[in-house]
Amino acid sequence: MTELRYAYNTNGLTSHRLSDALSFLADTGYAGVALTLDVVHLDPFADDAFAQAEQVRARCDELGLGVVVETGARFLLDPRAKHEPTFVSASAEGRARRLAYLRLACDLAGVLGAEAVSFWAGVPKPGVDRDEAWGWFADGVRALVDSHGGRSYALAVEPEPGMLVEDCDGWARLAAEAPGITLALDTGHCVVAGAYAPEEAVARFAPSLGTVAVEGMRRGVHDHLPLDEGDVDLPAVLRALREASYDRLVTLELSRDGHRAHEMVPRAMATLREAEQA
C-alpha cells in the first residue's frame, strides 16, 4: 500500500520563525508543511511576499519538504472580524476581496511549488438568505477555477462545521456546480458534522481528494485535539488512505497549541507511526 507523507500546519507553530519551523519539521521526520499564509508566516500582503515565497521554496527543496497552502488565517483581511470577509458576506466588495486574496494565495502557491491550495465557504451572517449565499459562493468558486484552475496544484474546498459547506455532501453539491474543484477533507470534522465516519469519507471521496488533514476530535465538538485524543479512529483513517493510494500530504492542524509545539510536533509524529502499525 501507499506510504503516507505527513505535514504539520504552521498555524500550530506561531511561536516559531518559519525558517526554524521548517527545520524542526524536517528533523522530526515530516515530509511537508501546511503553510497558513498569515501575518506571522509569509504575509501574502507584504511588499516582498513573492521574494519570501521563493526563499521558502528553496529552503523546502533543501529539506525535502512538500507544501500545501492554507488560507484560513483569522484576521488577515479584517483585523476586527475573525475570518471576514468571505464568499458568503453580504457585501459584494467583501466577496471581491476574498476572491482577490485567494487568487493571490494561488499565485504564491505556484512560486512555492505547492500541491494544493485549500479554502472554505464561510459562515452566513444573520439575515443573509442561505440560498443567496450559496449562489455567491458557487460564483466565487467558479471564478477562482476559471482564473487559477488546471494548474500544478489542486484547488480544494474544505467543509467546516457550522459553515455554509460543512460536510462532504455539501462539498459534492458544490463540485457539481463548480467543476474543477477538489475536496480538502479534514477527517476530524467528520465526527462533528456529516453522514460519514472519517474512514468512510476517505473511501467514498478518494478520487476527489485534493488534500487531507487528520487530528483528534470529539464527536459533535469542533475542537482540534492531539491525534491520540478524541473519537477519531486514526489507524482506520490511515489504512483507508493507504488503500486509496493517496499520495498527497496528510496534514495535521493544532492551531491552539503553538505554545507547546516543541512537544506536539514530535508527539504527533510518534502517534502517526504507532497508528500505522496498529
Side-chain angles (χ1 to χ4, degrees):
M1 290 188 290
T2 301
E3 182 177 351
L4 298 178
R5 302 161 55 238
Y6 300 115
Y8 201 97
N9 198 319
T10 58
N11 66 8
L13 288 156
T14 50
S15 294
H16 285 70
R17 298 181 186 88
L18 183 55
S19 58
D20 291 337
L22 295 175
S23 298
F24 185 20
L25 296 181
D27 291 344
T28 312
Y30 289 87
V33 59
L35 176 57
T36 296
L37 302 176
D38 205 348
V39 293
V40 288
H41 293 141
L42 215 172
D43 181 348
F45 298 116
D47 292 340
D48 63 342
F50 284 87
Q52 289 186 51
E54 290 176 353
Q55 293 172 359
V56 171
R57 177 68 265 164
R59 184 59 178 150
C60 286
D61 286 344
E62 290 175 6
L63 296 170
L65 296 175
V67 178
V68 169
V69 168
E70 304 269 357
T71 62
R74 293 182 178 94
F75 299 103
L76 190 63
L77 298 187
D78 187 335
R80 298 172 185 267
K82 180 182 175 182
H83 289 157
E84 291 291 332
T86 73
F87 274 145
V88 298
S89 296
S91 163
E93 184 275 336
R95 299 194 299 272
R97 285 178 59 206
R98 176 60 61 172
L99 176 58
Y101 163 55
L102 291 177
R103 284 173 166 161
L104 173 59
C106 287
D107 289 339
L108 288 166
V111 176
L112 289 161
E115 59 184 52
V117 178
S118 73
F119 61 102
W120 32 243
V123 180
K125 296 296 186 183
V128 170
D129 180 83
R130 291 185 70 86
D131 289 337
E132 188 172 19
W134 182 271
W136 295 335
F137 183 52
D139 286 346
V141 173
R142 283 191 291 265
L144 186 62
V145 171
D146 286 346
S147 64
H148 286 78
R151 301 197 179 189
S152 58
Y153 46 80
L155 290 175
V157 168
E158 179 180 0
E160 285 269 0
M163 291 194 177
L164 184 69
V165 174
E166 70 171 355
D167 59 22
C168 292
D169 287 336
W171 173 86
R173 176 189 172 190
L174 172 69
E177 298 182 22
I181 204 70
T182 66
L183 173 62
L185 177 64
D186 188 312
T187 55
H189 292 169
C190 294
V191 302
V192 181
Y196 309 98
E199 61 274 19
E200 293 171 345
V202 169
R204 185 178 182 92
F205 295 94
S208 302
L209 296 176
T211 184
V212 172
V214 295
E215 69 279 305
M217 204 164 290
R218 294 189 179 90
R219 197 167 306 283
V221 181
H222 188 193
D223 187 11
H224 291 234
L225 303 172
L227 286 165
D228 50 4
E229 299 180 15
D231 298 317
V232 175
D233 186 343
L234 182 61
V237 171
L238 300 186
R239 184 166 55 251
L241 287 166
R242 293 196 301 270
E243 290 174 351
S245 298
Y246 180 79
D247 60 359
R248 296 177 183 270
L249 289 168
V250 179
T251 70
L252 174 63
E253 180 179 0
L254 294 175
S255 61
R256 300 177 184 176
D257 290 288
H259 65 288
R260 55 174 183 162
H262 63 299
E263 299 171 349
M264 300 309 298
V265 168
R267 173 178 165 184
M269 180 55 69
T271 303
L272 288 164
R273 296 306 184 198
E274 183 177 325
E276 287 182 335
Q277 303 304 315

